[in-house]
Amino acid sequence: MAVQNKKLNLKDKYQYLTRDMGWEPTYQKKEDIFPHEDFEGIKITDWSQWEDPFRLTMDSYWKYQAEKEKKLYAIFDAFAQNNGHQNISDARYVNALKLFLGGVSPLEHGAYQGYAKAGRQFSGTGARVACQMQSIDELRHSQTQQHAMSHYNKHFNGLHDAAHMHDRVWFLSVPKSFFDDARTAGPFEFLTAISFSFEYVLTNLLFVPFMSGAAYNGDMATVTFGFSAQSDEARHMTLGLEVIKFILEQHEDNVPIVQRWIDKWFWRGFRLLSLVSMMMDYMLPNKVMSWSEAWEVYYEQNGGALFKDLERYGIRPPKYQDVANDAKHHLSHQLWTTFYQYSHATNFHTWVPEKEEMDWMSEKYPDTFDKYYRPRYEYLAKEAAAGRRFYNNTLPQLCQVCQVPNLFTEMGAPTKLSHRQLVHEGERYHFCSEACCDIFKHEPEKYVQAWLPVHQIYQGNCEGEDVETVVQKYYHINIGEDNFEYLGSPDHKRWMSIKGEKPADENQDAA
Amino acid sequence: MSVNALYDYKFEPKDKVENFNGMQLLYVCWPDHLMFCAPFALLVQPDMTFRALIEEILKPATAAHPDSSKADFLNAEWLLNDEPFTPDADASLIDNGIDHKSMLTVTTPDLKGMAGVGY
């Protein structure tokens, strides 16, 4: 054997460390080794056609990630030592972190598990390696997000038990059920759901506002996490597009299956992101852009171009995107007024937006804010000033699929609640929309077992019959500290004392 | 359609009436009163009268709204699971045909919420 050049070039190295890690089995059947590869009906004729968008090998992966980690944790340390939390725009901002920590970071962890599982199931080595790296990325994101935000836990309420709350709290069942739905699907649906529909089509709507929001509001720890995750996210997005094109190019029978998954996961992602809409418009004291602007740029324009590009594969834009486009004028306002009235059951605070903020919304939502939503806040502010801060003391009807309270309105009829119901095998089910009802009809067996938080409370499975007991004992939300109105809350008082101001209504000792 | 799975994928519905300890779920929507963000999900006794539902459950549930004290719910326009419905005030919910997870919609024609936009 001739002695070859000791140092491999990148292409060879990549070949050795990825493709050559796969082999043809001799004493086991391939379908026994990869039992999940066929049941979804996706036909792969030639795995070698898989193009790896990033020719990254494990050794260089570890090297890059270690470099990024070192820089990231140096900044976390500096942030903590310099009491970085004192430099944020306003303590109301921290409520966005509480939502993120309970709603998003556990999904990163779910993605880590999901990619590990999906990657195991592909007989194609290119796809396996890509899933493996993304799996490790997602674990890193979950950890670094928790580390970035842990500093705030020393100074503000509501951040103390995010993982526990993710499994139990009513509104966190929205992100949890989204990811559980994806993870319990087959590997191809999982990639279409998370890599394509979420990471490629919709993720900019989460990460751009959140990271820019952190920058605009002086949260250097979270901004730095964002930068550190950015190159990973770029890799994930590229994988998302590669996955979809690869599946579609492999066999024409794959097209209708993928189309249905795109319809489903676009909608599920859109419903999940309604939480982000209110974060952008209401929870960032210094605002980046409105939800409606973000939707126009990141979905209507970018998504429009994408689906134009996918037309040649026989893929059309997601069904019900017209409903989502119409909702951009209303979504954040409908969400915030919902959380405002259920603030006694959340681990974050809510408030009536300040006058300048409402003027900003009038400008950003010229056709809807003054007409439909400003009057609500004026009424709520008046009630609060009279000592009757509004809390809804009943529980809401939830959608069987997305698990959001049925708070959305019909397209073109913003004062009419959207509601659908059907009877399946003798049981009634209720939905927020035609789209969620469609999802149910395709896979009723999956959604009849939905763990709906409101129904679970009523069945007596949440350690108490009244909301207060459930919130305190089952959710681990500390009553009077984590929940209720922001004004006058311990967080608010602490912030005033940091800023050297006294609460308007009383003399409060520094926390 | 049916779920695509590797095995016979069949599970009991999580919200069957027998899981509610003798009670049942009832949803009530009051259109044009979006101060309440979504229809109410209520836990009720199947044998309670319709009148008791109004007096003991619906009125307290809606009390925070200024229209609530003016509303004549008994004589309002009702839908049961999207079909026109005339309640019998002294009959039980079940005898009124209101079964587990039914949805009632009650429209109060003269009361259209606040600000002219159904709030």
Side-chain angles (χ1 to χ4, degrees):
Chain A
M1 197 173 113
V3 177
Q4 293 204 339
N5 188 353
K6 262 190 190 165
K7 198 163 164 54
L8 295 168
N9 68 32
L10 271 180
K11 191 162 175 268
D12 290 337
K13 189 166 142 190
Y14 177 77
Q15 186 68 26
Y16 281 121
L17 288 173
T18 58
R19 296 302 172 92
D20 285 2
M21 301 293 281
W23 58 86
E24 283 303 313
T26 52
Y27 58 92
Q28 290 287 346
K29 281 189 286 189
K30 206 164 182 176
E31 55 268 35
D32 290 343
I33 300 175
F34 302 105
H36 292 190
E37 199 168 82
D38 299 321
F39 81 95
E40 296 171 275
I42 293 294
K43 295 174 182 160
I44 303 298
T45 51
D46 183 7
W47 272 109
S48 76
Q49 296 297 310
W50 175 279
E51 284 291 334
D52 306 296
F54 290 85
R55 297 188 168 264
L56 194 59
T57 53
M58 257 308 156
D59 58 334
S60 31
Y61 175 82
W62 291 124
K63 198 168 138 255
Y64 291 141
Q65 300 299 70
E67 283 294 317
K68 288 197 292 184
E69 283 303 73
K70 240 173 32 199
K71 288 180 196 152
L72 179 62
Y73 281 86
I75 290 175
F76 288 172
D77 285 347
F79 184 79
Q81 281 165 15
N82 293 319
N83 283 321
H85 67 282
Q86 298 185 354
N87 299 323
I88 56 175
S89 57
D90 185 68
R92 290 182 303 162
Y93 165 76
V94 181
N95 292 289
L97 299 180
K98 299 173 192 176
L99 181 58
F100 197 92
L101 194 62
V104 179
S105 303
L107 298 192
E108 305 270 14
H109 195 265
Y112 143 66
Q113 296 174 321
Y115 280 99
K117 171 174 171 271
R120 166 65 184 82
Q121 294 300 334
F122 292 125
S123 62
T125 36
R128 278 218 303 272
V129 171
C131 285
Q132 182 186 21
M133 281 180 197
Q134 182 158 354
S135 175
I136 301 167
D137 287 342
E138 303 288 4
L139 179 60
R140 187 176 97 86
H141 293 180
S142 173
Q143 290 171 340
T144 46
Q145 282 166 20
Q146 292 176 62
H147 290 152
M149 292 175 204
S150 67
H151 177 73
Y152 290 93
N153 184 41
K154 298 181 211 157
H155 302 280
F156 298 97
N157 293 322
L159 294 135
H160 57 280
D161 218 351
H164 175 92
M165 290 184 193
H166 183 74
D167 286 338
R168 297 187 174 198
V169 176
W170 61 281
F171 64 92
L172 294 173
S173 82
V174 174
K176 182 182 168 67
S177 67
F178 170 93
F179 230 88
D180 285 354
D181 191 349
R183 286 196 290 174
T184 50
F188 288 107
E189 182 177 349
F190 178 78
L191 289 197
T192 309
I194 306 303
S195 290
F196 178 71
S197 300
F198 201 74
E199 298 266 14
Y200 193 80
V201 184
L202 296 172
T203 201
N204 277 336
L205 283 155
L206 173 62
F207 273 89
V208 176
F210 191 69
M211 297 312 154
S212 319
Y216 272 50
N217 289 281
D219 176 6
M220 293 326 288
T222 305
V223 172
T224 313
F225 156 74
F227 280 126
S228 179
Q230 207 167 34
S231 53
D232 302 342
E233 293 299 336
R235 202 154 19 81
H236 302 172
M237 287 183 74
T238 314
L239 174 65
L241 191 59
E242 169 56 24
V243 162
I244 217 77
K245 288 186 169 172
F246 173 74
I247 301 176
L248 293 170
E249 280 166 3
Q250 285 291 309
H251 204 287
E252 60 183 4
D253 290 356
N254 295 343
V255 176
I257 302 176
V258 170
Q259 180 71 60
R260 192 179 71 69
W261 287 341
I262 290 176
D263 291 347
K264 170 182 172 181
W265 288 101
F266 163 79
W267 186 262
R268 293 224 59 183
F270 165 64
R271 277 293 186 245
L272 174 61
L273 288 177
S274 62
L275 292 166
V276 179
S277 76
M278 82 170 181
M279 189 196 81
M280 281 181 74
D281 285 348
Y282 286 88
M283 301 174 90
L284 300 178
N286 292 341
K287 300 181 196 311
V288 181
M289 69 198 301
S290 69
W291 168 258
S292 139
E293 289 167 325
W295 185 259
E296 280 164 18
V297 173
Y298 296 117
Y299 184 70
E300 291 180 17
Q301 291 169 22
N302 294 1
L306 166 71
F307 284 105
K308 193 111 203 87
D309 186 38
L310 291 177
E311 233 173 48
R312 66 195 159 102
Y313 296 100
I315 290 292
R316 54 158 175 74
K319 200 177 173 187
Y320 302 115
Q321 71 164 2
D322 54 333
V323 180
N325 291 344
D326 177 71
K328 73 183 173 202
H329 306 294
H330 302 279
L331 201 60
S332 64
H333 315 301
Q334 294 178 349
L335 262 289
W336 187 247
T337 47
T338 296
F339 278 88
Y340 182 91
Q341 65 195 265
Y342 285 115
S343 247
H344 49 304
T346 59
N347 63 318
F348 60 86
H349 301 294
T350 54
W351 53 87
V352 169
E354 289 169 358
K355 191 188 167 298
E356 299 72 40
E357 294 177 296
M358 291 218 259
D359 292 344
W360 178 85
M361 290 192 222
S362 301
E363 188 194 315
K364 297 295 181 186
Y365 295 95
D367 299 329
T368 55
F369 187 75
D370 284 350
K371 184 171 180 194
Y372 297 105
Y373 303 106
R374 184 186 281 270
R376 300 185 182 193
Y377 293 118
E378 287 171 350
Y379 176 78
L380 292 170
K382 202 177 72 194
E383 287 293 288
R388 294 188 300 262
R389 204 281 193 193
F390 175 51
Y391 293 104
N392 188 336
N393 61 12
T394 66
L395 303 183
Q397 181 186 48
L398 305 180
C399 174
Q400 187 76 26
V401 171
C402 70
Q403 308 202 5
V404 181
N406 283 342
L407 61 96
F408 304 101
T409 51
E410 291 284 357
M411 181 167 69
T415 62
K416 188 176 171 1
L417 285 181
S418 160
H419 169 263
R420 300 289 182 279
Q421 74 160 296
L422 60 76
V423 176
H424 171 75
E425 296 183 347
E427 290 283 318
R428 293 182 189 284
Y429 298 94
H430 299 264
F431 309 93
C432 70
S433 57
E434 198 72 33
C436 275
C437 189
D438 268 12
I439 293 171
F440 180 93
K441 282 188 215 161
H442 277 290
E443 297 170 306
E445 301 88 342
K446 208 166 186 183
Y447 303 100
V448 298
Q449 10 156 11
W451 194 96
L452 296 179
V454 167
H455 297 177
Q456 288 299 311
I457 293 171
Y458 282 148
Q459 287 182 27
N461 297 334
C462 302
E463 292 186 42
E465 285 176 12
D466 60 293
V467 171
E468 190 173 332
T469 313
V470 171
V471 164
Q472 177 105 43
K473 283 180 68 182
Y474 189 66
Y475 292 172
H476 293 188
I477 290 173
N478 295 322
I479 293 186
E481 293 177 10
D482 306 336
N483 61 350
F484 298 128
E485 164 71 38
Y486 173 71
L487 293 178
S489 66
D491 270 9
H492 182 214
K493 289 175 180 163
R494 194 167 301 122
W495 181 249
M496 296 189 87
S497 111
I498 287 172
K499 292 286 139 188
E501 298 162 15
K502 278 184 181 171
D505 56 339
E506 58 188 301
N507 252 329
Q508 180 69 23
D509 291 334
Chain B
M1 293 292 287
S2 184
V3 75
N4 214 346
L6 281 162
Y7 54 93
D8 184 22
Y9 190 95
K10 196 83 191 153
F11 293 90
E12 283 293 298
K14 203 143 212 112
D15 297 317
K16 295 177 97 163
V17 68
E18 49 265 38
N19 297 343
F20 288 85
N21 310 305
M23 306 290 273
Q24 71 178 40
L25 287 177
L26 172 65
Y27 308 105
V28 180
C29 180
W30 188 17
D32 298 316
H33 294 86
L34 291 170
M35 193 174 118
F36 306 109
C37 61
F40 303 119
L42 307 166
L43 188 67
V44 297
Q45 289 168 318
D47 60 357
M48 81 188 305
T49 62
F50 196 84
R51 190 186 305 280
L53 170 72
I54 302 297
E55 294 299 325
E56 292 162 25
I57 295 186
L58 189 59
K59 284 189 179 175
T62 56
H65 198 288
D67 279 355
S68 181
S69 57
K70 294 177 247 166
D72 179 5
F73 287 117
L74 266 183
N75 296 303
E77 293 166 12
W78 289 88
L79 298 175
L80 172 58
N81 297 318
D82 299 330
E83 300 290 332
F85 166 66
T86 309
D88 176 348
D90 297 309
S92 71
L93 299 184
I94 278 295
D95 290 341
N96 267 296
I98 302 168
D99 58 4
H100 179 52
K101 292 174 82 180
S102 275
M103 169 113 158
L104 286 166
T105 307
V106 56
T107 305
T108 46
D110 303 328
L111 302 171
K112 292 285 181 195
M114 288 181 272
V117 287
Y119 181 57

